Amino acid sequence: MASSSSSSSPTCLRIGIIGFGTFAQFLARTMLKQGHVVVATSRSDHSDLSSRMGVKFYRSIGDMFSETDRIDVVLLSMSILSMADVVRSLPFDRLGRSGDLPLFVDVLSVKEYPRDLLLQVLPEEADILCTHPMFGPESGREGWKGLPLVYERVRIRNQNICQKYLQIFETEDCRMVELSCEEHDKMAAKSQFITHTIGRVLSEMDIKSTPMDTKGFQTLLQLRDNTTKDSFDLYRGLYQHNRFAKEELEKLELAIRTVREKLLDVPNGKEHS
Amino acid sequence: MASSSSSSSPTCLRIGIIGFGTFAQFLARTMLKQGHVVVATSRSDHSDLSSRMGVKFYRSIGDMFSETDRIDVVLLSMSILSMADVVRSLPFDRLGRSGDLPLFVDVLSVKEYPRDLLLQVLPEEADILCTHPMFGPESGREGWKGLPLVYERVRIRNQNICQKYLQIFETEDCRMVELSCEEHDKMAAKSQFITHTIGRVLSEMDIKSTPMDTKGFQTLLQLRDNTTKDSFDLYRGLYQHNRFAKEELEKLELAIRTVREKLLDVPNGKEHS
Ligand SMILES: NC(=O)c1ccc[n+]([C@@H]2O[C@H](COP(=O)([O-])OP(=O)(O)OC[C@H]3O[C@@H](n4cnc5c(N)ncnc54)[C@H](OP(=O)(O)O)[C@@H]3O)[C@@H](O)[C@H]2O)c1
Ligand SMILES: NC(=O)c1ccc[n+]([C@@H]2O[C@H](COP(=O)([O-])OP(=O)(O)OC[C@H]3O[C@@H](n4cnc5c(N)ncnc54)[C@H](OP(=O)(O)O)[C@@H]3O)[C@@H](O)[C@H]2O)c1
């Protein structure tokens, strides 16, 4: 299966994943289900899991690009923090003939950073699609219906391949949200980054279920559990590579000080006895 | 209906509510549905709503206790911050004959504070049941099944009336959690107070829905909305009258500092470019 070529079917893509961690494995399952061919490479050896899934696993990026079968889409799914090193180490002489290069797609949870990096490092002839599926193995467990796929067509000349790739998410009934990388990062700092921060803060506090949990507290326990299933590298990436995150963290700290002041503000001049 | 006496039915109670705000109205609906008689008094005039509900409303506490029909249960549902003033102003000469006083029940979201206050202010012959329904108009909208009713029988001699009152919650399939007021306050500071604090902090930050909300962020928006439906007085009471809350707020602030430090901690000595 892994050796069949995308040219055999007009809608079937041959997707080469770099960074085959939790999130890439989660995406690959749906891609395989839809009939695409998935090959992968990663820092660590994921060959056992890969062969069980039906994914051909290569021990190095060089090996993956040495195969005779053409890769239509290179899917970059490494941690945010490792992307620069990985992308800079790509075997540029083996990516494909100029004019017939694969489409480069990233799935990083920040978007200006990979856009800039890919524009800077990839050959000018390579097409670039920056995407962020706003869901993961937990929130997308029951399917992807209605969940947002944010994307920007950063540099697309081969509309056909790009459309086929986006079709993967359309087929699953994702909400397709075309947004600039900048808009993504602004909104993500105010929403996803704050959500992760609260999950991490709750995890530092070591909160736990009691015999008298309110429903609100139960949702916080759930949030804490879902957040800490993601790696701390992912969270750190959200902060270090989204230029809007710092300000939102400061707003959060300010909001806590404001709430504290309001709490201490004793109404009617009455003191707690 | 409001003039019928509890003596007409062995399980029907005549409940006199002091503090007929949002939460008391919510409780009263279920009490009425179960066939109990509810009368009420409050600082503000709630007579229109009361008469629509089938609750006899008195403009003063004195008036409520001047009726000939005996009140079996006095339900205290004023804000935490106003309780001391209200309880100290009770017409002690009109509460009932010694040996035949009503059962005093409070529903405050803190428990040591009303326990101490009621023990200090009420006649020694009055029975006291301290309760905290761990739900409200939002979380209890679809019924009370499985939701916790925390209580301590602080001073109960008339087991019969106390049992009939608790039966209201058992009938609705609440989870009955008998806990000391101290245990309640310890756990509530770590759970409910932190939940309210996060809701208040989010509300200070003015977070809003985006076209790309993750599920986690949506639960935070929901939490913010539910928290701010409660009065700020309620939240302030959770802090000012629960001696364990201060430490939990400090832990929250410390946890944020810890998370911030971990965020700034650049792994492998690599700097964000
Ligand atoms: N988890 C989610 O729900 C989610 C949702 C949307 C987008 N994303 C994005 O998807 C990407 C992957 O996320 P993830 O959840 O799988 O976890 P992650 O911790 O962000 O990334 C793990 C992946 O990065 C690779 N990696 C880590 N350090 C590396 C290094 N120094 N050199 C080379 N590769 C390295 C790992 O390789 P090995 O496994 O081989 O060690 C693994 O494939 C991230 O960019 C993340 O922002 C995640
Ligand atoms: N909301 C919930 O989900 C919930 C759940 C469990 C327990 N509780 C507890 O139930 C009690 C009532 O809560 P709530 O949600 O209705 O809101 P609240 O703001 O805590 O209390 C409002 C009630 O307090 C009365 N009140 C406020 N200030 C007063 C004053 N200076 N003098 C006399 N009465 C005063 C109000 O009277 P008027 O309406 O007449 O102005 C109203 O009846 C609180 O002790 C709260 O901790 C609430």
Side-chain angles (χ1 to χ4, degrees), chain A residues 85 134 139 175 187 195 204 211 215 217 235-236 240-241 253 256 259-260 262-263 265 270 272, chain B residues 85 139 175 195 204 211-212 215 217 235-236 240-241 253 256 259-260 262-263 265 270 272:
Chain A
D85 283 351
M134 305 298 303
S139 50
R175 200 148 48 73
M187 285 186 202
T195 308
E204 282 298 329
K215 283 190 185 177
F217 185 64
Y235 176 54
R236 200 183 265 124
Q240 292 186 352
H241 294 285
E253 292 175 314
I256 292 186
V259 168
R260 170 187 267 278
K262 288 191 182 175
L263 271 182
D265 191 34
K270 294 219 178 92
H272 170 198
Chain B
D85 284 351
S139 50
R175 201 149 47 76
T195 309
E204 281 299 330
M212 45 174 255
K215 284 192 183 173
F217 185 63
Y235 176 54
R236 201 183 265 124
Q240 292 186 352
H241 294 286
E253 292 174 313
I256 292 185
V259 167
R260 170 189 267 278
K262 288 191 184 175
L263 271 182
D265 192 33
K270 294 221 178 91
H272 171 196

Side-chain angles (χ1 to χ4, degrees), chain B residues 13-181:
Chain B
L13 293 170
R14 188 170 161 90
I15 300 168
I17 299 182
I18 305 180
F20 202 54
T22 328
F23 188 61
Q25 293 159 20
F26 163 75
L27 291 179
R29 277 188 199 96
T30 296
M31 294 169 172
L32 291 164
K33 184 194 76 183
Q34 291 186 5
H36 300 288
V37 175
V38 177
V39 302
T41 184
S42 205
R43 175 184 57 170
S44 320
D45 182 7
H46 295 287
S47 49
D48 282 356
L49 176 93
S50 300
S51 79
R52 283 199 301 279
M53 285 177 69
V55 168
K56 184 156 184 185
F57 189 80
Y58 295 94
R59 291 305 308 272
S60 78
I61 301 183
D63 287 354
M64 189 168 87
F65 286 101
S66 301
E67 287 287 303
T68 47
D69 284 326
R70 186 185 177 284
I71 289 173
D72 303 305
V73 176
V74 175
L75 187 61
L76 304 164
S77 185
M78 66 290 288
S79 69
I80 298 166
L81 302 176
S82 69
M83 188 194 204
D85 284 351
V86 175
V87 169
R88 290 211 171 87
S89 74
L90 285 172
F92 292 100
D93 53 333
R94 288 189 232 165
L95 297 181
R97 281 166 295 125
S98 157
D100 195 27
L101 287 166
L103 166 67
F104 284 80
V105 180
D106 86 286
V107 297
L108 271 60
S109 307
V110 296
K111 296 268 54 72
E112 289 191 316
Y113 175 69
R115 177 200 62 194
D116 293 349
L117 187 74
L118 294 175
L119 283 170
Q120 189 192 328
V121 174
L122 291 182
E124 212 283 315
E125 302 79 30
D127 280 5
I128 301 170
L129 176 68
C130 285
T131 79
H132 183 197
M134 306 299 303
F135 52 92
E138 289 306 317
S139 50
R141 186 195 290 277
E142 314 282 349
W144 301 359
K145 191 172 154 60
L147 301 177
L149 186 271
V150 176
Y151 65 99
E152 181 180 354
R153 300 170 203 259
V154 172
R155 186 168 70 200
I156 301 294
R157 276 148 307 200
N158 188 334
Q159 300 293 341
N160 183 32
I161 296 279
C162 176
Q163 208 40 57
K164 276 188 195 171
Y165 181 80
L166 290 174
Q167 192 66 47
I168 295 170
F169 296 85
E170 282 164 7
T171 302
E172 301 301 317
D173 266 342
C174 280
R175 201 149 47 76
M176 306 299 287
V177 184
E178 192 160 6
L179 268 186
S180 72
C181 291

Side-chain angles (χ1 to χ4, degrees), chain B residues 222-256:
Chain B
Q222 189 65 56
L223 181 78
R224 189 260 325 257
D225 293 345
N226 287 348
T227 309
T228 50
K229 269 178 200 146
D230 285 332
S231 70
F232 200 88
D233 272 3
L234 195 162
Y235 176 54
R236 201 183 265 124
L238 293 185
Y239 182 75
Q240 292 186 352
H241 294 286
N242 181 338
R243 65 188 164 110
F244 305 103
K246 186 161 179 278
E247 186 180 335
E248 297 307 320
L249 184 61
E250 281 160 9
K251 277 192 204 159
L252 177 68
E253 292 174 313
L254 177 64
I256 292 185

